[in-house]
Amino acid sequence: MRRIAVLSSGGDAPGMNTVIRAVVRRGIFKGIDVFGVHNGYDGLIAGNFVRMDLGSVGDIIHRGGTILRSARSERFKSEEGQEQSLANMKNLGIDGLIVIGGDGTFKGAQKLAFNGFPTIGIPGTIDNDISGTDYTIGFDTAVNTVVKAIDKIRDTASSHDRIYVIEVMGRGAGDIALWAGMCGGAESIIIPEANFNIDDVIKSIQQGHSRGKKHSIVVVAEGVCKGTDVGQMIQEKIGYDTRVTVLGHLQRGGSPTAYDRMLGSQMGARAVDLLENGERGVMVGWKNGHLVHTAFVDAAKDKHTIDLSVYQLASSLSI
Ligand code: ADP
Ligand code: F6P
């Protein structure tokens, strides 16, 4: 392994820069040339490679976003796009690739691996929706961002008699909603992994009101429905004054937490070591407090799950 490349793809996530730094520095430490690919798979097709040196990743460990930029590339889904990418890497003498992204990114990486190209994946997405790892890079930062937002909304909520509905990201997964709802003390959490019944939400709001609660906070994962729909249902059914906040892309920004930096540093370095040791077509993960790696094919077979006992606990603590 003499030359490797690294790219970030899909939705950016805080901590991606930490991973890029770790890949570049670990690679150079081991005497490997490292290239950064700009704009995800689009850049791989366009041949957008830049040689990285030690200084190129200085002062980025604490910065959100990704210095390599990211993209959602339709063209890479075609065989033509994948073949062009492979040809570009061959021309440049690249003999290993590390991709940072979510499940879509890993599907793309799997195609390269099927074609015999040594490819390693690192889970980077705020959604935490990838099997093969307990945590994805960016999730912890996003949860902390949402908890801070809930705390602020709670300040104003406690000054008014209202219901506050907060819609959070997560695509098809409820992890951000569950963690932030639990840590923000929400009265109700609505996630795709548990049946959603508006009457249950209303019952919990009314129970709280009957014992003197003046306001309630409801966290809804975008994978279930729009926050505005939940707000409208509550207003129509019980007539309480309701306000809706959609947190949106601010959940993707910000300086990565120490936890995301720790995961990012370890996963980035491990990905280089795996390539060097001849591993191909695997993703790095974090399970039960340890680094692990899983074949893309095996990770793709399993569905990401959520711990429903935490959901039940959150409900029982918000009575
Ligand atoms: P994420 O990686 O965060 O899940 P996307 O789902 O947008 O984000 O996937 C990132 C990119 O991965 C896509 O834009 C596309 O280029 C590539 N990709 C996704 N699915 C496939 C697939 N089935 N085959 C090849 N490439 C894919
Ligand atoms: O996958 C990360 C994510 O932020 C999801 O939570 C969200 O559904 C999606 O990306 C938003 O994508 P975009 O930035 O393309 O609007």
Side-chain angles (χ1 to χ4, degrees):
M1 197 61 48
R2 305 281 359 124
R3 278 191 162 186
I4 63 171
V6 57
L7 62 80
S8 47
S9 158
D12 66 313
M16 280 184 165
N17 278 330
T18 313
V19 178
I20 295 164
R21 171 182 178 271
V23 167
V24 170
R25 296 249 167 112
R26 182 70 169 181
I28 294 173
F29 174 76
K30 296 200 151 209
I32 298 169
D33 293 343
V34 186
F35 286 76
V37 185
H38 279 245
N39 299 332
Y41 289 130
D42 272 346
L44 209 56
I45 297 170
N48 205 343
F49 297 85
V50 180
R51 176 83 183 263
M52 309 290 280
D53 59 18
L54 293 172
S56 67
V57 290
D59 288 334
I60 64 166
I61 195 166
H62 62 300
R63 276 170 52 194
T66 158
I67 58 161
L68 293 177
R69 303 176 59 79
S70 192
R72 300 200 196 271
S73 168
E74 273 312 304
R75 200 170 151 207
F76 189 76
K77 291 184 181 168
S78 69
E79 277 181 23
E80 176 271 325
Q82 292 154 27
E83 278 161 15
Q84 183 62 57
S85 301
L86 290 164
N88 289 342
M89 289 194 281
K90 195 171 166 217
N91 285 341
L92 202 62
I94 304 277
D95 37 26
L97 176 69
I98 294 170
V99 301
I100 314 160
D103 56 347
T105 300
F106 289 178
K107 280 182 198 143
Q110 201 174 336
K111 301 271 169 67
L112 297 175
F114 277 150
N115 276 290
F117 196 84
T119 311
I120 307 283
I122 299 181
T125 165
I126 63 165
D127 300 339
N128 206 41
D129 59 348
I130 299 182
S131 62
T133 189
D134 292 340
Y135 298 108
T136 58
I137 288 152
F139 171 66
D140 186 61
T141 306
V143 167
N144 278 285
T145 299
V146 177
V147 170
K148 280 189 200 118
I150 295 175
D151 290 349
K152 288 190 171 118
I153 288 172
R154 183 177 288 286
D155 286 345
T156 171
S158 61
S159 313
H160 295 269
D161 294 2
R162 283 178 185 159
I163 311 300
Y164 287 80
V165 178
I166 303 168
E167 180 192 310
V168 303
M169 279 187 167
R171 218 189 278 200
D175 296 56
I176 296 177
L178 178 59
W179 279 63
M182 169 76 119
C183 302
E187 272 66 28
S188 275
I189 304 171
I190 303 172
I191 53 173
E193 295 84 356
N195 290 333
F196 165 48
N197 183 343
I198 191 66
D199 293 328
D200 292 340
V201 174
I202 285 169
K203 204 165 129 200
S204 88
I205 292 171
Q206 286 180 319
Q207 263 170 3
H209 270 241
S210 66
R211 69 165 188 82
K213 276 194 190 182
K214 299 271 184 241
H215 59 270
S216 295
I217 291 175
V218 179
V219 174
V220 55
E222 65 174 354
V224 178
C225 65
K226 286 185 185 309
T228 45
D229 293 341
V230 176
Q232 201 177 341
M233 284 187 259
I234 294 171
Q235 191 122 20
E236 280 171 8
K237 284 207 173 220
I238 49 176
Y240 288 169
D241 199 12
T242 305
R243 294 289 184 276
V244 179
T245 304
V246 180
L247 292 179
H249 286 80
L250 71 81
Q251 294 163 92
R252 287 239 295 263
S255 180
T257 58
Y259 196 79
D260 275 330
R261 296 183 203 188
M262 179 58 92
L263 279 189
S265 300
Q266 294 203 38
M267 286 186 180
R270 178 60 65 91
V272 175
D273 294 352
L274 288 171
L275 271 181
E276 205 191 20
N277 294 340
E279 289 285 350
R280 277 103 182 80
V282 300
M283 60 164 276
V284 185
W286 185 258
K287 287 248 175 194
N288 304 316
H290 296 284
L291 282 173
V292 294
H293 58 274
T294 316
F296 285 135
V297 274
D298 294 331
K301 272 188 228 146
D302 291 334
K303 203 175 147 13
H304 165 74
T305 53
I306 212 161
D307 185 352
L308 281 174
S309 70
V310 177
Y311 174 75
Q312 280 140 13
L313 178 63
S315 308
S316 71
L317 296 182
S318 65
I319 50 175

